[in-house]
Structures are given as C-alpha cells and as structure tokens.
Amino acid sequence: MKQIANIPDSKKKERVVIIGGGFAGLEMAKKIDKQHYQVVLIDKNNYYQFQPLLYQVATAGLEPSSISYPLRKMFQNQKDFHVRMCEATRIDPEENKVETNIGYIAYDYLVIATGCDTNYFGNDALKESTFALKSVSESLLIRNRLLLSLEQALNAKDPEEFKELFSFVVIGGGATGVELAGALADMKKGILPKDYPELDFNKMEIHLIDAAPRLLAAMSEKSSKKVTKTLTKRGVIIHQGIHVESYEQPVVSLGNGQKIHSKNVFWVAGVTPKPMPGIDNTAYERNRMLVNEYNQVKGYKNIFALGDTALLISEKTPKGHPQVAQVALQMAQRLAKNLNGKVKGRPYIGFEYKDKGSLATIGRNAAVADLGKFHFGGTVAWLLWLFVHIMSIVGMRNRVAVLIDWAWNYFNYDLSLRLLIRPKKSNLF
Ligand SMILES: Cc1cc2nc3c(=O)[nH]c(=O)nc-3n(C[C@H](O)[C@H](O)[C@H](O)COP(=O)(O)OP(=O)(O)OC[C@H]3O[C@@H](n4cnc5c(N)ncnc54)[C@H](O)[C@@H]3O)c2cc1C
C-alpha cells in the first residue's frame, strides 16, 4: 500500500484539495468557506510569486522577497486549513486521490490551478541554452547572468568576446519581453554607466526578437505602435516578424539569415501548461484542460481547473480566455462562490469574464493602456500601471518595500540591489 500524506482527517467536512498556490489557487483558498470545507493547498514552493514583476527582479529593480509571500503566513490561524509543500504528480479520479511526492491526498473536490511552464515549441536545445523568466529563481539566474556579463566585459580583451558579453537578446515580444527590454534600456541609460564607468555603453546592444507581425500582439495596434516607437527611441533593436531558428552559444540564428552574437539570451516567447497525468487525454486541447462554464474539467464532476491551465470555449470565447491574472482570479472567485453556495443548496452559476483592460510598461515614465475603447500611453498609463501593480502585490510589507524601491529608483536613478549572489552547492538537502 502506498503512503498517505499526513493530513488530519476532518470527519464532518468535505475536503477541497487545491493544487497550485498562484493567482487562481490562492484566491480560491482565500474565498472558499472553511466553516464548511476542509482545505488542503499544495504547491511545489512554500511561497506565492507575483509573476508580473519578475522582470524587475531580473533587472535588479526589486528584491525577490518583495514579490513573494510565504503561503503559511497567509493562512495563519485558519482552522482546518492545511498547506503542504509538495508536487502533484498524478490524479486518480476513480479513487478521488492526488498522488504527490509526500504521498496520496484524498479529495472530495479537486481544484487544479497549476499554471503554465515556459513554451519552447518543441525546441529542447533552446531550453538548455537560454534563460527563462517564469519563477523567482529564474529571475535571479537572469540577474546573475546580466551582472556577471558586465563584470566579465571589463576583462574581455578580445573584441568578439566583448561583443558577446555586451549584447543582450530578449526573444518574445509579448508584455514580458517588452518590459524586460525596456528595463534593460533604462539600466543602460541610468544605472550601469555609473557602476561601470570604464565601459562604453554606446556599445551595449539590446535586441528584441518577435515572430509575430507586431509587438504586444494581444493589445491594440495603437499600443503596439507606441511601444515600438518608444523602445526604438530608447535604443532597443527590434527584429519584428522574424523567428529564432537556433541558439548555439554564442550565436543566435534568425529566420532571415541574420546572426547575433550574445551570451545573454532570454527566452520569453510563450507559455504552455504541463498536462497532469491521470486526467483523460480527451480533456485536453492545446495542453489546456477543457472546462465547462462551472470550470468542471471535461468528463469529471468534482475536478475543476482554473486560470492558465483551463480552457473555457464558448460562443463568446471561441479560443478560450487570455492567460492573464484577472481570468485566474475571477474564475477562482466564481468557483469558490459556487462551492460555498452548494452547501446551502444553491445551483452553480456559470463563469462570465469581466475584462478590466490591459497594461504594459516600457520603462521609466512610459506604459500603454487598453481600457475598453480607450487606448493611451505615456506618463498617465505608467502611473496607472504603478498603481495597479502596487495594489496587486500580496502583503503590506511587500507593498511598502516595492514602493520605497520604486521611489528611490525614480528619484535617484539608482538602486542598490545589483548583488551577484550565487548559491553554494550542498549535499545537505
Ligand atoms: C513573467 C510573467 C509576467 C506576467 N505579467 C502579467 C501581467 O502583467 N498581467 C497579467 O495579467 N498577467 C501576467 N502574467 C500572467 C499571469 O502571471 C498568469 O496568467 C497567472 O499567474 C495565472 O495564474 P494561475 O493561478 O493559473 O497560475 P500561476 O500563478 O502560475 O500558479 C501556478 C502555481 O502552481 C504551482 N504548481 C505547478 N505545478 C504544480 C504541481 N504539479 N504540484 C504543485 N504545485 C504546482 C506553481 O508552483 C505555482 O505556484 C505574467 C506571467 C509571467 C510568467
């Protein structure tokens, strides 16, 4: 008999197991009524990470602790609420059990909110040789690569080697790619010349490569144009409508035959969910789990999927919803209300997405906003972006820390977070 995870039995209440403590899982865990359900929240990490600001950690603008929050702290003093740091590896829908690396966890209701992984579109070589930006640890790897390249550039005697170290390539022209390229351009102009006065920053190259016909393809054309114009003005070299064929260190080969030499290649070209073993293959489309309006996974009554991993196809949304935070939050809010209502005999209500608009920042004083019919950019959009992000960060201490870092950075054109800290290898874990 296989091991059963050590979770107290709640004899009177049904158990809701939530896999994933990201936007959707956390919202679900907050809103579900613990008087009526026992809740078990599991995640690979013991903390929540606010992905929209990962790029700022990667570019030394924020500390990792400012955008992360311990899951246990969030649910202190909650009765019949259990957090387990473990990885779900398989679902057994016949037995209503989740298999994890700490043993089986039984459920009455299962909520899958496992988000996405980086999508390399089947090119494993790119996975091995480029830097991704999907977690706090990956953002620290980018930060270290960036700072190490600058340190090494100081010592590079061979002009070819210098060029490889002093060129930065961002692959993917969605919001993350645009924000990362914009932040690098800000660093090049403001902070780095002060730290490295011996380097000629006119020689630093920032490339942004995008296979789509325009940057920020999910936003309006007006916003795309504005972003392209601003980034170009800030010195970013944009390769539009061109795909990356390969990266064999240090050569990035583009579909148009062009080659860029760089040791700093950041892959932010897309995301895709990782299928969960045990869920029937017919429940998947494009790796996402097909759900109905109640977020029930196709073929199951008590298994739900939320957020990036869920695909709700309807007349209004023939391609499903965008993989963004608002969809994850709203799906979780609806499902929590439905399960809370169920104990009172109320029927489920179908999910309706309320689009609150999209924002992306290009760097200092520059952002774009699509709010319904209104599309605007510049300082107003940037202030709105700052406000929305500050309000979305979990934890008052974190909000204050981010506000202080941003204000300090804005007024001093400086930050003191450019530390190159590398983990020491240990056999103790
Ligand atoms: C760099 C970046 C920038 C972004 N910027 C924006 C933005 O500006 N605005 C916006 O709206 N959206 C943005 N997004 C998208 C947004 O972050 C996602 O849409 C949102 O996080 C989806 O929420 P989720 O709950 O589905 O998944 P996530 O928030 O990704 O949470 C998934 C959780 O599941 C855990 N997990 C995964 N597999 C397992 C497993 N097998 N066992 C246990 N735990 C598991 C993970 O550790 C993670 O904590 C960005 C994404 C990235 C990567």
Side-chain angles (χ1 to χ4, degrees):
M1 169 136 160
K2 293 218 175 127
Q3 189 194 336
I4 296 172
N6 205 1
I7 295 167
D9 223 1
S10 181
K11 295 200 175 65
K12 290 191 207 126
K13 299 180 196 169
E14 290 188 299
R15 182 187 279 173
V16 178
V17 174
I18 303 167
I19 313 176
F23 274 97
L26 210 60
E27 187 70 4
M28 181 73 200
K30 282 188 201 157
K31 297 279 156 72
I32 187 90
D33 186 347
K34 283 97 182 172
Q35 295 218 314
H36 292 106
Y37 294 104
Q38 183 195 44
V39 181
V40 180
L41 173 65
I42 71 175
D43 199 290
K44 292 187 277 191
N45 302 306
N46 74 343
Y47 55 87
Y48 157 82
Q49 39 198 348
F50 186 67
Q51 294 174 19
L53 291 179
L54 286 176
Y55 83 95
Q56 294 214 1
V57 175
T59 50
L62 290 175
E63 280 298 2
S65 58
S66 305
I67 62 157
S68 318
Y69 202 83
L71 293 173
R72 291 190 178 281
K73 188 169 160 64
M74 217 172 295
F75 297 101
Q76 280 172 355
N77 307 323
Q78 299 243 6
K79 278 200 182 138
D80 244 349
F81 190 98
H82 308 277
V83 176
R84 289 293 179 271
M85 191 181 88
C86 62
E87 182 163 356
T89 47
R90 178 172 200 89
I91 312 296
D92 185 345
E94 309 272 289
E95 296 282 321
N96 286 343
K97 279 179 185 156
V98 184
E99 198 177 321
T100 76
N101 56 337
I102 59 162
Y104 281 104
I105 302 175
Y107 62 83
D108 295 295
Y109 299 95
L110 178 66
V111 180
I112 303 175
T114 43
C116 280
D117 280 342
T118 301
N119 192 356
Y120 295 91
F121 304 97
N123 192 334
D124 286 343
L126 287 172
K127 188 176 179 178
E128 297 305 318
S129 53
T130 60
F131 291 86
L133 185 59
K134 193 72 188 72
S135 63
V136 171
S137 44
E138 286 173 339
S139 65
L140 284 175
L141 274 181
I142 293 189
R143 181 167 106 179
N144 283 358
R145 177 67 258 170
L146 173 65
L147 298 175
L148 190 62
S149 284
L150 296 170
E151 295 298 327
Q152 290 174 338
L154 282 170
N155 273 331
K157 295 187 183 72
D158 172 23
E160 264 311 302
E161 189 197 355
F162 179 81
K163 199 171 162 55
E164 287 160 16
L165 291 163
F166 221 36
S167 300
F168 297 83
V169 179
V170 179
I171 306 172
T176 306
V178 161
E179 290 173 350
L180 187 57
L184 287 169
D186 277 357
M187 284 181 98
K188 174 183 170 179
K189 184 165 178 254
I191 298 165
L192 296 179
K194 288 197 266 182
D195 270 7
Y196 301 90
E198 295 148 77
L199 294 175
D200 176 2
F201 278 86
N202 290 319
K203 291 184 183 157
M204 177 174 162
E205 288 182 11
I206 304 164
H207 297 264
L208 177 59
I209 305 168
D210 189 23
R214 60 182 176 91
L215 294 179
L216 292 182
M219 291 185 74
S220 63
E221 280 203 27
K222 196 175 166 196
S223 294
S224 273
K225 275 189 192 147
K226 173 105 190 136
V227 160
T228 307
K229 198 172 153 199
T230 309
L231 283 178
T232 309
K233 217 164 137 192
R234 294 185 179 195
V236 176
I237 305 160
I238 300 173
H239 307 261
Q240 196 65 60
I242 297 165
H243 69 277
V244 170
E245 278 192 340
S246 66
Y247 176 51
E248 280 167 38
Q249 254 222 27
V251 184
V252 184
S253 301
L254 305 188
N256 62 357
Q258 196 184 342
K259 301 211 184 296
I260 304 166
H261 290 234
S262 171
K263 284 199 168 147
N264 316 293
V265 180
F266 311 129
W267 180 268
V268 289
V271 291
T272 185
K274 200 162 137 190
M276 180 62 76
I279 295 290
D280 200 82
N281 281 341
T282 55
Y284 285 100
E285 192 171 315
R286 285 176 277 137
N287 280 353
R288 291 170 81 179
M289 283 180 206
L290 287 162
V291 294
N292 63 12
E293 58 183 324
Y294 310 122
N295 281 91
Q296 285 163 314
V297 176
K298 189 179 168 192
Y300 306 95
K301 284 250 171 316
N302 62 342
I303 303 180
F304 302 84
L306 300 176
D308 279 5
T309 196
L311 183 64
L312 202 175
I313 293 178
S314 66
E315 249 176 54
K316 273 191 198 162
T317 56
K319 290 182 183 164
H321 294 86
Q323 288 164 300
V324 293
Q326 268 304 321
V327 173
L329 291 170
Q330 291 182 31
M331 279 184 168
Q333 286 154 7
R334 183 69 264 154
L335 178 58
K337 275 190 190 152
N338 281 347
L339 289 183
N340 293 344
K342 190 169 191 270
V343 287
K344 293 172 188 140
R346 292 187 200 133
Y348 288 165
I349 295 172
F351 173 70
E352 286 273 346
Y353 177 52
K354 290 183 192 68
D355 188 353
K356 294 185 177 171
S358 309
L359 291 164
T361 178
I362 321 158
R364 198 180 180 79
N365 286 334
V368 284
D370 287 350
L371 304 182
K373 287 182 207 146
F374 302 102
H375 312 288
F376 55 97
T379 308
V380 177
W382 187 66
L383 290 172
L384 186 64
W385 182 93
L386 291 179
F387 176 75
V388 167
H389 284 76
I390 275 285
M391 295 316 289
S392 310
I393 287 170
V394 175
M396 187 50 83
R397 182 213 156 273
N398 285 1
R399 278 186 204 159
V400 173
V402 169
L403 204 61
I404 290 172
D405 279 343
W406 281 353
W408 190 268
N409 189 6
Y410 187 80
F411 292 112
N412 295 299
Y413 287 83
D414 200 2
L415 264 183
S416 54
L417 307 174
R418 296 181 298 284
L419 308 175
L420 210 170
I421 302 169
R422 285 177 283 191
K424 194 176 165 184
K425 283 201 178 116
S426 167
N427 296 327
L428 295 174
F429 290 96

